[in-house]
Amino acid sequence: MTLLRTFGINNINKLGKFCYNNLPTFRTQLRLYNTQQEVVVSFYDDKATKYAEKSIRPVTLKELMRFVQPSLNNTSTLLESAKYTRSELPVRLARRVKALQNLPFIVGTNPYIKSIYKLYYNSFELIRSFPENICDKGIDEKFAEMLKEMVTSHSENIPTLAKGFQECKKYMSPEDIKNFLDDMISARIGIRLIAEQHIALHNNLNDTSYTGIIDTKLQPQKSIQSCSNFVKELCEVHYGSAPNILIDGQIDTIFTYVPVHLEYIITELLKNSCRATVEYSQKVNRTKHPPVIVTISKGKNFIGIRVRDQGGGVPTKDLTSIFDYSYTTVPQDDIIGGLEGQNILANVSKMAMQSGLGGPIAGLGYGLPLARIYANYFGGSIDLVSLHDYGCDVFLRLKQIDKSLEDLEI
């Protein structure tokens, strides 16, 4: 009864519907957590050292994309992708293990940081122990299945790291934390791109628009609409209402990009805009939320996306900090409540948005800096213009993945 009085029967019904719709995702993550074999290792175990000392073999985007759909009938091409992935990932994972080992001792003993260390170490051991000679399709399919489970098991890395550094920020300078996280997250994107590219070669057999995880006929309008529906539902669960999200501009735009990267960035920007709009309406006693407007434009080899809201803007004193890790406007009590699992709505929001590339994390302040890293990865950018006490315009610019990016190293 206390829960019903606090949130109201309508919100509880929405929450139940939201949880039910996302139950398969939650069950999958729970199953992986319960069945994953944990290797008990010392934090300073040096088995990964010899691998970490090897040079990585950067793969260019052109090389990654040459494993295209027409080549899937060529078993040798597919096996070549598997062999590269099998030889490269242990080195990159070992480097993440080493980076975690190099943290200050007191940081490394934090339970959240240590759990990330074990996860990377276990993944390193799993791939290292897989046969190097992937010589037929049967072995390759087992390898691809193993990669799927590895990728899924790492889906909560960013929220877990966020919790760890939230607790350990007094033991490292902000600059050291930023450098570590920038390096960790950029390396994580590269690892996932290599793994998911090989996985996708097995999954998108009947879709000729895909080259692995890259969609050559991506329609931003459809991606934005899908993200809008999700964010609105989440906002309604959390606040009881949500602004409309309108899409205009060159809505028939088609370009080449990684869909999951675009969806992560857009979800984070819309989440921020919807949250700001609802909270500012509450602050100024607006009876109706103004819409969030998303405008699409297309250039020669890039697209632009503007997200405009009337959520009150960002205080001038905070403008230089909005892309810093852990910057957030969420009250500290709410953050602590979410971390400790006491705030049921915040907890559902966090769970629902941790899938894929790590999802936005409401209240921990990692959403915008992560979105910027994803945008920058292929030469894009994110900029924010704020009108205090009115709203924000966020400008996202993404380069098309074409010949101009063929030499980009991953």
Side-chain angles (χ1 to χ4, degrees):
M1 289 302 294
T2 301
L3 191 63
L4 291 176
R5 286 196 298 269
T6 303
F7 299 117
I9 186 66
N10 289 336
N11 283 346
I12 293 298
N13 286 338
K14 288 177 181 177
L15 177 61
K17 178 183 175 184
F18 180 85
C19 290
Y20 180 80
N21 290 340
N22 291 275
L23 197 57
T25 300
F26 300 156
R27 280 177 174 165
T28 299
Q29 295 200 1
L30 184 62
R31 179 182 61 80
L32 284 165
Y33 177 81
N34 288 334
T35 59
Q36 183 183 4
Q37 293 181 343
E38 180 176 336
V39 179
V40 180
V41 293
S42 163
F43 189 84
Y44 294 103
D45 188 290
D46 63 354
K47 290 181 181 178
T49 300
K50 68 175 184 178
Y51 278 87
E53 291 174 348
K54 293 181 179 180
S55 298
I56 63 172
R57 292 190 299 144
V59 58
T60 64
L61 199 57
K62 180 180 180 180
E63 291 171 327
L64 203 63
M65 289 180 69
R66 68 189 173 89
F67 304 114
V68 294
Q69 298 303 324
S71 299
L72 287 177
N73 294 325
N74 185 344
T75 302
S76 64
T77 304
L78 192 59
L79 295 182
E80 186 181 347
S81 169
K83 289 174 182 176
Y84 169 77
T85 304
R86 161 63 183 81
S87 65
E88 183 64 14
L89 287 188
V91 178
R92 297 190 182 217
L93 289 166
R95 288 190 168 206
R96 294 307 95 213
V97 169
K98 205 66 182 171
L100 288 159
Q101 289 177 346
N102 289 336
L103 288 170
F105 177 80
I106 195 168
V107 177
T109 57
N110 176 274
Y112 293 118
I113 304 297
K114 193 167 185 178
S115 71
I116 293 296
Y117 170 82
K118 287 183 178 180
L119 192 57
Y120 272 104
Y121 188 93
N122 292 348
S123 296
F124 159 74
E125 279 286 292
L126 193 65
I127 296 182
R128 184 190 66 81
S129 61
F130 196 88
E132 290 187 48
N133 186 22
I134 303 177
C135 57
D136 61 55
K137 291 183 71 173
I139 297 176
D140 174 53
E141 286 172 2
K142 291 180 181 177
F143 180 62
E145 193 61 35
M146 183 190 72
L147 288 178
K148 285 182 190 178
E149 294 215 1
M150 185 197 79
V151 167
T152 303
S153 71
H154 282 257
S155 63
E156 294 190 19
N157 279 14
I158 302 304
T160 304
L161 278 174
K163 292 174 186 176
F165 280 105
Q166 193 81 23
E167 295 183 355
C168 297
K169 58 186 177 183
K170 63 183 177 181
Y171 303 120
M172 293 176 68
S173 70
E175 187 64 24
D176 286 342
I177 291 176
K178 178 185 182 302
N179 291 338
F180 174 84
L181 289 172
D182 282 351
D183 180 57
M184 193 77 176
I185 293 166
S186 294
R188 180 175 184 266
I189 293 173
I191 290 169
R192 290 186 70 107
L193 277 172
I194 292 171
E196 290 181 329
Q197 176 72 357
H198 186 67
I199 294 168
L201 292 177
H202 294 261
N203 293 344
N204 298 324
L205 301 179
N206 299 317
D207 194 335
T208 57
S209 73
Y210 274 83
T211 301
I213 58 171
I214 298 168
D215 188 351
T216 60
K217 296 179 181 177
L218 178 62
Q219 300 178 55
Q221 188 269 340
K222 288 188 176 181
S223 295
I224 294 168
Q225 188 61 62
S226 175
C227 296
S228 298
N229 295 340
F230 178 75
V231 171
K232 279 189 66 178
E233 185 175 1
L234 198 61
C235 192
E236 287 172 355
V237 167
H238 194 93
Y239 293 103
S241 64
N244 286 328
I245 300 174
L246 308 179
I247 306 171
D248 63 16
Q250 296 172 290
I251 59 175
D252 58 347
T253 294
I254 295 175
F255 84 132
T256 301
Y257 207 70
V258 180
V260 71
H261 283 202
L262 175 63
E263 289 162 7
Y264 171 80
I265 297 168
I266 292 298
T267 300
E268 175 58 27
L269 299 183
L270 290 178
K271 187 229 9 165
N272 285 348
S273 287
C274 288
R275 176 178 172 269
T277 299
V278 174
E279 292 187 353
Y280 193 64
S281 290
Q282 295 171 347
K283 178 181 177 182
V284 300
N285 295 318
R286 277 191 309 218
T287 57
K288 185 178 180 180
H289 304 310
V292 173
I293 302 174
V294 184
T295 304
I296 303 169
S297 68
K298 181 168 172 39
K300 184 178 180 180
N301 62 349
F302 68 90
I303 66 163
I305 298 174
R306 182 188 65 195
V307 179
R308 170 171 287 179
D309 67 60
Q310 296 179 44
V314 178
T316 304
K317 64 181 179 62
D318 293 338
L319 281 174
T320 57
S321 305
I322 56 174
F323 290 103
D324 291 350
Y325 293 106
S326 296
Y327 169 78
T328 179
T329 57
V330 176
Q332 190 66 25
D333 288 345
D334 289 354
I335 296 174
I336 294 171
L339 288 176
E340 298 300 326
Q342 302 301 316
N343 184 333
I344 184 172
L345 294 178
N347 221 29
V348 170
S349 300
K350 178 173 69 67
M351 288 173 66
M353 302 182 87
Q354 282 171 182
S355 60
L357 287 170
I361 311 153
L364 295 180
Y366 279 53
L368 277 179
L370 276 170
R372 174 175 268 187
I373 289 177
Y374 283 122
N376 290 347
Y377 199 84
F378 291 118
S381 62
I382 294 181
D383 296 290
L384 181 146
V385 177
S386 173
L387 291 175
H388 188 41
D389 280 335
Y390 184 78
C392 286
D393 282 4
V394 180
F395 297 91
L396 171 65
R397 178 187 171 101
L398 298 175
K399 290 191 69 174
Q400 177 152 276
I401 297 178
D402 56 16
K403 290 184 178 180
S404 66
L405 290 177
E406 282 185 347
D407 294 329
L408 177 73
E409 291 187 342
I410 295 171

